[in-house]
Amino acid sequence: MDSQAFEALSADTLPVRLGGNTAVTDRIGEDSSRWTIREVGDGNLNLVFIVTGEKGAVIVKQALPYVRLVGESWPLPLKRSFFEYHALTRQARRDPGMVPEVFFFDETQAIIVMEFLTPHVILRRALIDGRPLPRVGRDLGLFVARTLFRGSDLSMVTREKKADVALFCDNVELCDITENLVFSDPYFEATLNRHTTPQLDPLVAELRSDRDLKVEAQRLKHIFSAKAETLCHGDLHTGSVMVTENETRVIDPEFAFYGPISFDVGMLIANFWMSYFSQAGHETAPGARDEMRLYLLETIETLWDTFRSEFAHLWRTERRGILYQASLFEYRQDPLAAEQALNIVIDEIWSEMLGFAGIEIHRRILGLAHNADFETIADPERRASCESKALKLGRHLAVNRQRIHSLRDIRATVERLEMEIIA
Amino acid sequence: MDSQAFEALSADTLPVRLGGNTAVTDRIGEDSSRWTIREVGDGNLNLVFIVTGEKGAVIVKQALPYVRLVGESWPLPLKRSFFEYHALTRQARRDPGMVPEVFFFDETQAIIVMEFLTPHVILRRALIDGRPLPRVGRDLGLFVARTLFRGSDLSMVTREKKADVALFCDNVELCDITENLVFSDPYFEATLNRHTTPQLDPLVAELRSDRDLKVEAQRLKHIFSAKAETLCHGDLHTGSVMVTENETRVIDPEFAFYGPISFDVGMLIANFWMSYFSQAGHETAPGARDEMRLYLLETIETLWDTFRSEFAHLWRTERRGILYQASLFEYRQDPLAAEQALNIVIDEIWSEMLGFAGIEIHRRILGLAHNADFETIADPERRASCESKALKLGRHLAVNRQRIHSLRDIRATVERLEMEIIA
């Protein structure tokens, strides 16, 4: 057998295959016979091992040549590991300390060895458990502002940005998943779809015949596919965030692509709104999760406000790319022109972000890849009740995104939906 | 000397170097001693030879490693020839018969041998001479609709489109020219700028301190740099069009890049508006060019109407890409949803197109690359009068592009500017 050919790791073969790798042994110890290996991949796509030795532990993540969630019938290229590696190194430069440190990358084996985050838990899990994390709004707001601003023509040397666009264009299969599963499948009876049935059937039928919604979903797909504005994480939901009380880290950027600045922001915020509506499915008594709900709405506001402030700060201090050049504004004694342009740019990010948020909510309830916030609500009646409110918010956001002007307004709508004052 | 190294052609060396090339000899005859060679490159960048033999003639176009207009101090890579070749072959497929046929391409020597168009003249020249060409509005409207629709995610297999985006990302130096010379330099005192002075000085100062205009120019640059919607010609002005009474052909797509659908359309239409305002500089008596002016305004309307109708036709019959899929609309018995989306898409192309048109007008009068329409008006007073009206239209379009709803309205503004009723 060609020693270079891809071979999936197993707990048995891992010590043999990585036992001589100093990137690993330097961190966890050389005696691989004493390593303990635990496979913890709970995502949809990959193998993930925690490898623990005498000195410490590392994560070994390996892509598989198919979608793990579905099986070998859905092939998916190993090169997504290459894009994850390149996204991680760029994000580490753009917002230091916010992504796991990479120790080793093997392109052929699609293996990334990286920092083991402990005692971190997945943010989504914490939110389901009703555990508020005080830092995530601010940390994630800074992360999206910094990575998205610094990866764009507002900041980069345009030659390097274009070369990077070309590099990431090849992540076509992962973009294809988003294009289909996020923007199209939820809006018709696609084979891979599922939803809580029969409870949601009437609402699903209504949404699938909602002309304005479907047109808007496709406009957003158009923006997703054509607006190569910055390097996006591409799959930034609460399952891609690991947290402690004191630290927030962002993982799993294998869907990375050049897309609109608004995309990551909208996907992320959508997951907090879904968490909000899922709380009723997890609370042990009515009102038991009221504080958690308040926390979630405030986190959304903190996240967006932090994004906006940090983006504006970078705009004023690091705008060295080809767009909105200081030579036309500040250097001509017209700094207000740069402020005017900033407002226009933020305004567009805002309305697109709301659209992407709406669509993300829909696909998590109507499409293939559901999320644990709702899935762990065992009673289908109760789950459907939560999901139905979220679906309605999603429709409201996607269709009215250019007419909604503040999170305060959305908060009022969200709270009225939750109380079933409106539907 | 390495026989593969680039060497600029000359009339003397051309027969030796291409004498054995069957792509050439098949068309013009084998006896290269009887070829006549005429260098006719009047553009800003390249060598262009008409090579005539016993049997016929071909065009031999060779890129130079610098900007011809400026000299060796401004290097420019030969690979632009590669992009021209690839753009020509794609355009030929997307709108057959509208671009010169390519017979031979040598990447190292940056040589394209192509069809010699005769008795065609450059459209810009014909318009300066006051010669109306009846077909250009319709032919060019079809050309932009077909090439831009068929090069986008509305039509292409997305994997092929992404690979092509990656390919053309490397045309970075030519995009850089547009980014600087079109969108930024005209709006401050950049070194390469020139304008009719002192006559235009007060208006130029006004435009360069016009905050709304400069912000809008940079928004359009943002759209230019980020919206990789389709393969654009990239330099589609009336100097890139060759015409007879019966035929229209589009040449010189070396600036080809993936950009907004609106870009080529706006650049092109701008050149007709400039021709309109330049007529007063060429007419031998007041009113002598009235028919020409009427022709130009009607050509603009025909061009846009044809673009819109053909785009809509392709939307209804060839929309097989990933965007606005029939599976969501027509196949769900909701063809009106597809019409709704079409209106939204056209509306966005329209307002962007007006912006690009406005900016194109400015850069041709304030920047480095002026056009012959105005340049051939010898009297600076008369030239400045024409240019000043065009500049004002450009500002009006760029700043108000989202508030202007029809060419009829613009026509009224254009005619009032021409009559100096408004200024």
Side-chain angles (χ1 to χ4, degrees):
Chain A
M1 185 188 139
D2 176 6
S3 68
Q4 275 299 296
F6 172 83
E7 199 177 341
L9 289 165
S10 69
D12 292 340
T13 62
L14 193 148
V16 179
R17 291 181 58 190
L18 295 178
N21 186 317
T22 54
V24 178
T25 56
D26 284 357
R27 276 160 192 96
I28 71 169
E30 291 181 5
D31 185 357
S32 64
S33 69
R34 301 181 60 183
W35 293 359
T36 60
I37 320 261
R38 197 153 52 97
E39 209 280 306
V40 294
D42 62 350
N44 299 330
L45 300 179
N46 309 293
L47 294 173
V48 181
F49 301 92
I50 300 171
V51 184
T52 310
E54 295 164 282
K55 289 167 61 183
V58 292
I59 290 289
V60 174
K61 180 170 178 179
Q62 185 178 37
L64 291 169
Y66 52 84
V67 178
R68 190 177 184 182
L69 173 70
V70 176
E72 301 196 14
S73 63
W74 186 341
L76 198 64
L78 298 171
K79 66 185 175 191
R80 65 188 189 270
S81 183
F82 170 88
F83 296 111
E84 175 166 2
Y85 167 72
H86 280 288
L88 283 171
T89 55
R90 282 155 182 72
Q91 290 166 344
R93 279 200 306 273
R94 290 170 190 160
D95 194 12
M98 277 295 288
V99 298
E101 189 183 347
V102 172
F103 303 131
F104 173 74
F105 171 55
D106 181 331
E107 188 175 343
T108 309
Q109 297 300 327
I111 289 173
I112 301 173
V113 179
M114 65 185 116
E115 187 181 0
F116 172 53
L117 300 171
T118 181
H120 301 63
V121 297
I122 293 285
L123 173 57
R124 192 189 300 287
R125 189 70 248 166
L127 301 181
I128 293 169
D129 294 343
R131 187 179 149 208
L133 276 304
R135 291 183 56 109
V136 298
R138 179 167 162 76
D139 287 348
L140 292 173
L142 291 175
F143 177 78
V144 284
R146 291 172 181 167
T147 56
L148 300 171
F149 183 94
R150 291 177 174 151
S152 79
D153 269 325
L154 294 166
S155 164
M156 284 183 81
V157 173
T158 190
R159 172 187 299 274
E160 289 167 18
K161 191 245 183 182
K162 286 196 171 77
D164 221 39
V165 170
L167 183 81
F168 279 90
C169 269
D170 193 33
N171 201 9
V172 53
E173 292 82 3
L174 282 277
C175 277
D176 176 78
I177 291 180
T178 308
E179 285 152 2
N180 285 303
L181 298 195
V182 175
F183 294 102
S184 290
D185 283 7
Y187 301 102
F188 72 106
E189 286 79 20
T191 328
L192 297 169
N193 287 343
R194 63 189 172 82
H195 65 258
T196 303
T197 186
Q199 290 84 355
L200 289 182
D201 290 353
L203 178 56
V204 173
E206 186 184 314
L207 293 173
R208 287 190 181 146
S209 55
D210 184 328
R211 184 182 293 163
D212 292 344
L213 173 62
K214 290 192 294 178
V215 168
E216 203 51 61
Q218 291 298 300
R219 285 185 73 185
L220 290 159
K221 187 179 189 176
H222 189 160
I223 295 169
F224 174 89
S225 82
K227 196 169 187 176
E229 206 170 29
T230 191
L231 183 66
C232 299
H233 178 285
D235 193 30
L236 190 54
H237 50 72
T238 49
S240 299
V241 178
M242 298 195 72
V243 289
T244 66
E245 290 289 319
N246 307 310
E247 208 178 62
T248 311
R249 305 291 276 271
V250 175
I251 62 171
D252 288 352
E254 62 214 290
F255 280 82
F257 75 109
Y258 271 82
I261 290 173
S262 53
F263 185 71
D264 281 351
V265 188
M267 291 280 267
L268 185 55
I269 288 183
N271 280 267
F272 287 97
W273 276 317
M274 283 190 274
S275 175
Y276 176 94
F277 286 114
S278 74
Q279 296 297 320
H282 302 295
E283 66 189 350
T284 47
R289 290 284 183 102
D290 280 353
E291 270 187 49
M292 192 63 195
R293 277 187 274 262
L294 189 64
Y295 158 79
L296 287 163
L297 295 181
E298 284 176 355
T299 296
I300 289 167
E301 286 167 32
T302 303
L303 201 165
W304 172 256
D305 286 347
T306 305
F307 167 78
R308 206 180 45 182
S309 312
E310 180 70 2
F311 191 91
H313 172 68
L314 297 173
W315 178 277
R316 292 174 188 128
T317 57
E318 289 188 15
R319 205 175 74 254
R320 291 188 284 266
I322 59 167
L323 299 181
Y324 310 98
Q325 293 149 296
S327 51
L328 290 162
F329 302 140
E330 287 90 339
Y331 300 170
R332 303 262 312 168
Q333 281 69 55
D334 191 8
L336 256 181
E339 297 291 305
Q340 179 167 322
L342 170 62
N343 286 345
I344 292 168
V345 169
I346 294 261
D347 185 55
E348 192 161 286
I349 294 171
W350 162 261
S351 70
E352 288 177 8
M353 176 280 279
L354 293 181
F356 289 125
I359 298 310
E360 164 70 358
I361 293 173
H362 286 168
R363 74 103 168 197
R364 292 290 187 179
I365 300 172
L366 304 178
L368 170 69
H370 288 228
N371 63 28
D373 310 65
F374 296 122
E375 292 300 288
T376 53
I377 303 170
D379 174 15
E381 294 294 337
R382 206 169 166 190
R383 184 168 69 245
S385 161
C386 297
E387 289 175 329
S388 127
K389 292 168 184 173
L391 286 173
K392 287 169 186 170
L393 177 69
R395 193 273 175 198
H396 176 73
L397 296 176
V399 172
N400 298 300
R401 63 192 182 83
Q402 286 170 313
R403 290 179 281 254
I404 298 171
H405 298 294
S406 76
L407 283 172
R408 179 183 293 261
D409 291 342
I410 299 173
R411 184 176 185 150
T413 303
V414 164
E415 288 176 334
R416 290 171 73 79
L417 273 168
E418 177 65 7
M419 292 185 289
E420 304 190 61
I421 295 168
I422 54 173
Chain B
M1 186 188 140
D2 178 7
S3 67
Q4 275 298 295
F6 172 83
E7 199 178 342
L9 289 166
S10 70
D12 291 341
T13 62
L14 192 147
V16 178
R17 291 180 58 189
L18 295 178
N21 185 317
T22 54
V24 178
T25 55
D26 284 358
R27 277 160 191 95
I28 72 169
E30 290 182 7
D31 185 357
S32 64
S33 69
R34 299 181 61 184
W35 291 0
T36 59
I37 321 264
R38 195 152 54 95
E39 209 279 306
V40 294
D42 63 349
N44 299 331
L45 300 178
N46 308 294
L47 295 173
V48 181
F49 300 92
I50 300 171
V51 184
T52 311
E54 296 165 281
K55 290 167 61 184
V58 292
I59 290 288
V60 175
K61 179 170 177 178
Q62 184 177 39
L64 290 169
Y66 51 84
V67 178
R68 189 177 184 182
L69 172 70
V70 176
E72 301 196 14
S73 63
W74 187 341
L76 198 64
L78 298 172
K79 67 184 175 192
R80 63 187 189 271
S81 183
F82 171 88
F83 296 111
E84 175 166 2
Y85 166 72
H86 280 288
L88 283 170
T89 54
R90 282 155 183 71
Q91 290 165 345
R93 279 200 306 272
R94 289 170 190 159
D95 194 12
M98 276 295 288
V99 298
E101 189 182 349
V102 173
F103 303 131
F104 173 75
F105 172 56
D106 181 333
E107 186 174 344
T108 309
Q109 297 301 328
I111 289 173
I112 302 173
V113 179
M114 64 185 119
E115 186 180 0
F116 172 53
L117 300 172
T118 182
H120 302 63
V121 296
I122 293 286
L123 173 58
R124 193 189 298 288
R125 188 71 249 166
L127 301 181
I128 293 169
D129 294 343
R131 184 177 152 213
L133 277 303
R135 291 184 54 109
V136 299
R138 180 168 160 76
D139 286 347
L140 292 174
L142 291 175
F143 177 78
V144 283
R146 289 170 181 169
T147 56
L148 300 171
F149 184 95
R150 290 175 174 153
S152 78
D153 269 326
L154 294 166
S155 164
M156 284 182 80
V157 173
T158 189
R159 173 186 298 274
E160 289 166 17
K161 190 244 181 183
K162 285 195 172 77
D164 221 38
V165 170
L167 184 80
F168 279 91
C169 270
D170 194 32
N171 201 9
V172 54
E173 292 82 3
L174 283 274
C175 278
D176 176 77
I177 291 179
T178 308
E179 284 152 3
N180 285 304
L181 298 195
V182 176
F183 294 102
S184 290
D185 284 7
Y187 301 103
F188 72 107
E189 287 78 20
T191 328
L192 297 170
N193 287 344
R194 64 188 172 83
H195 65 258
T196 303
T197 186
Q199 291 83 355
L200 289 181
D201 290 353
L203 179 55
V204 173
E206 186 185 315
L207 294 173
R208 287 190 180 146
S209 55
D210 184 329
R211 184 181 293 161
D212 292 345
L213 173 61
K214 291 193 294 180
V215 168
E216 203 50 61
Q218 291 296 302
R219 285 184 73 185
L220 290 158
K221 186 178 190 177
H222 189 160
I223 296 168
F224 174 90
S225 82
K227 197 168 184 175
E229 207 170 27
T230 190
L231 183 65
C232 298
H233 179 286
D235 193 29
L236 190 54
H237 51 73
T238 49
S240 299
V241 178
M242 298 196 71
V243 289
T244 65
E245 289 289 320
N246 307 310
E247 207 177 61
T248 311
R249 306 289 276 271
V250 176
I251 63 171
D252 288 353
E254 61 213 290
F255 281 82
F257 75 109
Y258 271 84
I261 290 172
S262 53
F263 185 71
D264 281 350
V265 187
M267 291 280 268
L268 184 55
I269 288 184
N271 280 268
F272 287 98
W273 276 316
M274 283 189 275
S275 175
Y276 176 93
F277 286 114
S278 76
Q279 295 297 320
H282 301 295
E283 66 189 350
T284 48
R289 291 285 183 102
D290 280 354
E291 269 186 49
M292 192 63 195
R293 277 185 274 263
L294 190 62
Y295 158 79
L296 287 162
L297 295 180
E298 284 176 356
T299 296
I300 289 167
E301 287 167 31
T302 303
L303 202 164
W304 172 255
D305 287 346
T306 305
F307 167 78
R308 207 180 44 182
S309 311
E310 180 69 3
F311 191 91
H313 171 69
L314 296 172
W315 178 278
R316 292 174 187 128
T317 57
E318 290 189 14
R319 204 174 74 255
R320 292 188 284 264
I322 59 166
L323 300 181
Y324 310 98
Q325 293 149 296
S327 51
L328 289 162
F329 302 141
E330 287 90 340
Y331 300 169
R332 302 262 313 170
Q333 281 72 56
D334 191 8
L336 255 181
E339 297 290 305
Q340 179 168 321
L342 170 63
N343 286 345
I344 292 168
V345 168
I346 294 260
D347 185 54
E348 191 161 286
I349 294 171
W350 162 260
S351 70
E352 288 177 7
M353 176 280 278
L354 293 182
F356 289 124
I359 298 310
E360 164 71 359
I361 293 175
H362 286 168
R363 73 103 167 197
R364 292 290 188 180
I365 300 173
L366 304 180
L368 170 70
H370 287 228
N371 63 28
D373 310 66
F374 296 121
E375 293 300 288
T376 53
I377 303 171
D379 175 13
E381 294 293 338
R382 205 168 166 192
R383 184 168 71 246
S385 160
C386 297
E387 289 176 328
S388 129
K389 292 168 186 173
L391 286 173
K392 288 169 186 169
L393 177 69
R395 194 271 176 199
H396 177 75
L397 296 176
V399 172
N400 298 301
R401 64 191 182 84
Q402 287 171 311
R403 291 179 279 255
I404 298 172
H405 297 294
S406 76
L407 283 171
R408 179 184 293 261
D409 292 342
I410 298 173
R411 183 177 186 151
T413 303
V414 164
E415 288 175 334
R416 291 170 72 78
L417 273 168
E418 177 66 6
M419 291 186 288
E420 305 189 60
I421 295 169
I422 54 172

